[in-house]
């Protein structure tokens, strides 16, 4: 099955040889994850791993009622063990926060950036493959050769996007980063108006593939969303029972619990009811 790409330049990593790619095995990294990151390991147990060269890096995708993680051995063979662990955690977060089952925001290239910015806030930087999008961190400086190749206008767009991301705080939601990128006209143009090229061309992209996320039917979307939520719920329960969460902080545990909670926040319901019941000719104060 061909998996659509994101139309962005992928992360610069060590160029693995064909022999290194052929020798690469994912299983030892998954076993290591069981010891170091039990929460993420429990999520990945529910995911079908597919070795492929149809995408250049790696990515999670819901297809035909199943959750799959596609991975290219040549890409993973060029990463350190720490970076492979960070990549696996990154893909788990895409599932946990329902990025694969929620309809993409338009423009989708901006949403791709927003989801990666949110997730990479939650992963130690030394675990991220090179080229990952990190809030508060500018892009690596362009070489003179790259500047000449891109042209003055494209370089200005590249710098505007870099400055915008460098100004962002960490630990915000995907929706927050999406809104900030859309508000910044220069940063938005850098992703959506590349001239004669494709969306995002020439801009640093994430290190994983987001293709196929918006190709699900409504029925499949709800089915997969239910499967992911149940997997997260079981992982939370197991980790709470044995007190082993790995590197997941208390703050992030709280956010994850909110996602799987069936409780309705009565404060929000009351606030909405009062707001809808108030007469139009009246104003409120403290």
């Amino acid at each position: 099955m061909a998996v659509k790409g994101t139309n962005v330049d992928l992360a610069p990593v060590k160029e693995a040889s064909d022999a290194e790619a052929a020798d690469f095995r994912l299983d030892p990294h998954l076993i290591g994850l069981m010891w170091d990151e039990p929460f993420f390991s429990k999520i990945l147990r529910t995911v079908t791993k597919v070795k492929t060269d149809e995408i250049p890096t790696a990515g999670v995708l819901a297809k035909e009622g199943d959750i799959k993680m596609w991975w290219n051995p040549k890409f993973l063979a060029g990463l350190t063990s720490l970076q492979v662990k960070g990549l696996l955690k990154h893909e788990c977060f895409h599932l946990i926060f329902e990025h694969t089952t929620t309809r993409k925001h338009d423009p989708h290239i901006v949403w791709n950036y927003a989801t990666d910015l949110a997730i990479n806030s939650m992963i130690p930087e030394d675990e991220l493959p090179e080229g990952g999008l990190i809030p508060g961190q500018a892009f690596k400086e362009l070489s003179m050769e790259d500047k000449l190749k891109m042209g003055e206008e494209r370089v200005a767009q590249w710098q505007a996007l870099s400055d915008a991301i460098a100004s962002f705080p960490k630990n915000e939601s995907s929706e927050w980063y999406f809104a900030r990128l859309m508000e910044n006209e220069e940063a938005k143009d850098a992703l959506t108006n590349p001239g004669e090229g494709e969306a995002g061309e020439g801009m640093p992209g994430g290190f994983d593939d987001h293709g196929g996320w918006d190709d699900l039917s409504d029925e499949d979307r709800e089915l997969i969303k239910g499967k992911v939520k149940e997997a997260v719920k079981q992982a939370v329960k197991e980790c709470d029972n044995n007190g082993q969460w790995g590197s997941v902080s208390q703050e992030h545990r709280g956010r994850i619990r909110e996602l799987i909670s069936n409780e309705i926040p009565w404060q929000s319901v009351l606030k909405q009811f009062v707001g809808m019941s108030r007469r139009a000719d009246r104003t409120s104060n403290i």
Side-chain angles (χ1 to χ4, degrees):
M1 182 195 73
V3 181
K4 296 176 184 177
T6 57
N7 292 329
V8 296
D9 288 348
L10 295 163
V13 296
K14 170 194 166 187
E15 184 69 25
S17 67
D18 290 339
E20 288 173 320
D23 289 340
F24 180 85
R25 297 292 180 269
L26 185 60
D27 286 348
H29 297 279
L30 295 174
I31 293 170
L33 206 69
M34 289 175 61
W35 294 104
D36 300 335
E37 301 288 355
F39 174 72
F40 297 106
S41 177
K42 288 173 174 59
I43 300 295
L44 281 177
R45 283 205 310 245
T46 66
V47 177
T48 303
K49 292 84 177 172
V50 182
K51 182 179 177 180
T52 182
D53 59 2
E54 293 182 358
I55 62 174
T57 55
V60 284
L61 176 68
K63 190 72 175 177
E64 298 173 350
D66 193 14
I67 309 166
K68 294 183 172 66
M69 188 188 85
W70 304 77
W71 58 279
N72 189 319
K74 193 154 190 175
F75 172 67
L76 269 69
L79 303 179
T80 65
S81 294
L82 203 58
Q83 289 172 333
V84 173
K85 180 168 75 171
L87 174 68
L88 294 174
K89 290 163 67 172
H90 181 98
E91 301 307 334
C92 282
F93 273 132
H94 274 314
L95 293 172
I96 292 165
F97 290 107
E98 300 182 347
H99 295 155
T100 61
T101 51
T102 300
R103 289 193 179 279
K104 285 183 183 178
H105 296 54
D106 286 326
H108 73 272
I109 184 66
V110 180
W111 179 240
N112 286 344
Y113 270 64
T115 59
D116 276 355
L117 288 168
I119 286 175
N120 290 342
S121 294
M122 306 170 73
I123 301 173
E125 292 183 18
D126 62 350
E127 293 182 8
L128 296 172
E130 290 185 39
L133 302 166
I134 303 173
Q137 190 174 113
F139 299 156
K140 286 189 176 180
E141 192 66 34
L142 287 169
S143 67
M144 184 56 67
E145 181 182 356
D146 286 334
K147 289 181 179 180
L148 292 173
K149 189 186 303 181
M150 292 170 65
E152 187 175 337
E153 182 178 355
R154 196 66 178 139
V155 169
Q157 289 180 324
W158 185 96
Q159 190 62 56
L161 180 60
S162 175
D163 291 344
I165 290 176
S167 72
F168 292 160
K170 287 188 174 183
N171 293 315
E172 299 291 352
S173 67
S174 301
E175 289 76 12
W176 189 93
Y177 291 116
F178 180 80
R180 300 293 86 75
L181 287 169
M182 292 297 290
E183 289 170 1
N184 187 318
E185 290 296 331
E186 291 179 305
K188 183 175 72 172
D189 282 348
L191 295 173
T192 59
N193 295 318
E196 297 180 0
E198 296 183 345
E201 187 176 322
M203 298 296 117
F207 47 73
D208 67 332
D209 193 283
H210 297 181
W213 283 5
D214 207 32
D215 295 338
L216 290 173
S217 67
D218 290 339
E219 292 79 10
D220 274 349
R221 195 180 305 279
E222 290 306 312
L223 174 63
I224 295 298
K225 188 180 293 187
K227 282 188 174 183
V228 171
K229 189 171 183 178
E230 184 60 29
V232 175
K233 189 179 296 185
Q234 290 301 317
V236 168
K237 183 179 179 180
E238 289 184 40
C239 290
D240 277 341
N241 286 342
N242 58 34
Q244 296 178 347
W245 277 82
S247 65
V248 184
S249 67
Q250 288 288 349
E251 178 189 356
H252 295 155
R253 294 178 205 178
R255 292 175 63 183
I256 292 167
R257 287 192 179 97
E258 287 178 6
L259 289 170
I260 60 174
S261 174
N262 293 321
E263 295 180 4
I264 299 174
W266 63 266
Q267 298 94 332
S268 300
V269 175
L270 179 61
K271 183 177 180 181
Q272 183 181 26
F273 173 76
V274 172
M276 294 176 65
S277 302
R278 194 181 65 198
R279 286 176 55 179
D281 59 348
R282 292 187 180 181
T283 57
S284 61
N285 55 36
I286 299 297

